[in-house]
Amino acid sequence: MLSTFSGLPRTAWIVFSGTVVNRLGYLVTPFLVFFLGSRGIPTDQIPYILGALGAGNLVGPAVGGLLADRIGRRATMLTGLLGTAAGQGLLFAAPNTVTLAAAAALLSGAGSMVGPAAGALLSDSVTADRRRAAFSLFHWAVNIGTAVAGVLGGFLAARGYWLLFVVNAASTLAYALIAATMLPRGRTAVPSKADGQGYGVVARDPLMRALLPLFYVALIIYTLTEVALPLAIRDDGLSATTLGLMSTLNAVLVVVLQPVATTVLARFRQIPVYVAGSILTALGVALTGLAHTTWAYAATVVLWSLGEATLGGTAGAIVAGLAPTHARGRYQGAYQWTWGVARFTALALGTTLYANTGPAFIWWFSALAGVAAALAIGALAPAIGRRAGNAETAVPETATKDAGAELADA
């Protein structure tokens, strides 16, 4: 089952292990609303704190990608991890809404700096033919840790919210120790007038300009499982226990099936795999609109969980294949920033659209927009394939010109 992961370099397994340890302690954010209630924060002020948490997720990936190229992958990861631990302490001790919001922004901003640097480090460490396996392993680590954290969080919260903060900070600092003592520094960018050391290198790339909006659509649809699924279950008169069962089912399926899917699908090109997984996810979310019983909801969860397991870390690997060597951090930062924007959009607008336009709009959007975005990425496969083969040596000007020609050909 794990044969596809065999032969990956030591760095990939260190990132895997550190990510599992870190995500095992991912406890504070899921229970933040309950913690704020226990602190006596008025309900009408909680959205300000949650908004600050979301804003941090918009800033962190962009900063993390930039720093990964400027000061190195390991240094950026350590900055993010130590900042996350500090944010957890400040959030626990913050005396009022303003300071809670500031701490929440620090917590999410620092935490989301780590992913782009880790993705760039993986790209540095593996050959082009092993990127997909490395990013799938990274994605699997996130799911393993998150699945265990979901169970652990409920157990600890019942015994005191302070335990959530202690375990979360301890797991974050443990990853920081692993990174500091075991990970290589990673590449830093070579200064270039054309590059400018900013995100212009990404903005000038026509393939990335085409891909990121399509990824954005797919990521919105996936995030709707956090918004529209609970609302649909509630509207059908089912209990919160049903939602908990669906979350557990998704976590178990992805943890068990992702390494199997990665092994089975390794013989196929990554773009068709991405398209198939994205369509499965979109249709699974869309079919939620036809579910009205626990078993029916479970069937839809199985479908979009299969899609998630199929996707694995494929999107990150696609982006890594397009990135010039000196800009890997910023390319990963741009992708994960897109994820942050998509999640912010879905969480901010999902409930409003569900209530004001009706659930059918959500489900039809998932089906039509999800399938269309997946097929559009499939249409870009020839251009992506040609670029991926040249990404190791491309310079910004050359990459931009080649991408424009390939995009026109596609």
Side-chain angles (χ1 to χ4, degrees):
M1 182 176 72
L2 299 179
S3 59
T4 300
F5 299 139
S6 63
L8 286 174
R10 177 174 178 267
T11 297
W13 288 104
I14 294 171
V15 171
F16 169 82
S17 302
T19 302
V20 170
V21 169
N22 189 33
R23 297 296 295 196
L24 285 174
Y26 186 70
L27 306 172
V28 171
T29 300
F31 290 88
L32 183 57
V33 171
F34 297 95
F35 167 71
L36 294 174
S38 72
R39 288 281 305 275
I41 302 299
T43 302
D44 61 349
Q45 293 184 20
I46 289 178
Y48 296 112
I49 300 169
L50 297 182
L53 192 73
N57 283 320
L58 299 181
V59 175
V63 174
L66 188 64
L67 290 180
D69 285 336
R70 283 191 174 183
I71 66 174
R73 308 352 180 174
R74 184 180 64 190
T76 302
M77 293 172 70
L78 287 172
T79 300
L81 290 166
L82 294 175
T84 301
Q88 289 156 358
L90 291 172
L91 185 64
F92 182 74
N96 53 50
T97 300
V98 174
T99 53
L100 283 165
L106 172 62
L107 174 62
S108 59
S112 57
M113 286 174 55
V114 179
L121 186 58
L122 288 177
S123 299
D124 296 342
S125 305
V126 299
T127 56
D129 61 314
R130 301 296 282 154
R131 285 193 196 110
R132 196 161 128 202
F135 277 86
S136 180
L137 184 68
F138 180 41
H139 187 265
W140 192 38
V142 173
N143 281 306
I144 291 173
T146 303
V148 177
V151 177
L152 180 62
F155 174 81
L156 294 176
R159 287 156 178 79
Y161 289 110
W162 66 274
L163 288 170
L164 300 179
F165 288 86
V166 170
V167 174
N168 210 156
S171 69
T172 302
L173 293 174
Y175 190 12
L177 180 62
I178 291 171
T181 57
M182 302 179 72
L183 284 178
R185 183 173 183 269
R187 301 176 188 267
T188 54
V190 177
S192 166
K193 291 182 180 179
D195 186 343
Q197 294 294 319
Y199 276 91
V201 66
V202 180
R204 290 192 300 271
D205 186 335
L207 266 178
M208 286 295 285
R209 292 202 303 267
L211 279 171
L212 290 178
L214 299 174
F215 285 142
Y216 171 74
V217 172
L219 293 168
I220 284 178
I221 292 169
Y222 177 77
T223 307
L224 288 174
T225 60
E226 300 179 40
V227 180
L229 177 62
L231 292 172
I233 288 174
R234 183 203 64 182
D235 289 349
D236 281 325
L238 301 174
S239 69
T241 301
T242 301
L243 178 60
L245 289 172
M246 297 305 107
S247 299
T248 302
L249 177 62
N250 166 247
V252 170
L253 284 173
V254 174
V255 169
V256 172
L257 293 179
Q258 185 179 327
V260 178
T262 301
T263 301
V264 171
L265 298 173
R267 70 194 73 176
F268 300 101
R269 293 183 180 275
Q270 65 180 358
I271 299 298
V273 169
Y274 176 87
V275 172
S278 192
I279 288 175
L280 277 176
T281 302
L283 294 180
V285 174
L287 288 172
T288 304
L290 300 179
H292 300 290
T293 67
T294 298
W295 285 107
Y297 279 113
T300 66
V301 171
V302 168
L303 187 57
W304 57 259
S305 297
L306 284 172
E308 183 181 356
T310 299
L311 289 169
T314 305
I318 292 171
V319 172
L322 298 178
T325 302
H326 64 279
R328 285 170 174 162
R330 281 162 287 170
Y331 271 63
Q332 290 296 321
Y335 169 67
Q336 295 195 33
W337 177 81
T338 301
W339 170 267
V341 174
R343 192 168 188 274
F344 186 83
T345 302
L347 295 178
L349 297 180
T351 303
T352 301
L353 290 173
Y354 186 99
N356 295 332
T357 66
F361 176 86
I362 297 291
W363 313 132
W364 279 109
F365 170 80
S366 299
L368 298 178
V371 171
L375 293 177
I377 289 177
L380 294 173
I384 293 171
R386 287 192 292 271
R387 266 290 299 285
N390 297 323
E392 295 300 313
T393 57
V395 297
E397 300 94 334
T398 303
T400 301
K401 292 175 183 177
D402 290 348
E406 291 156 355
L407 192 56
D409 293 343

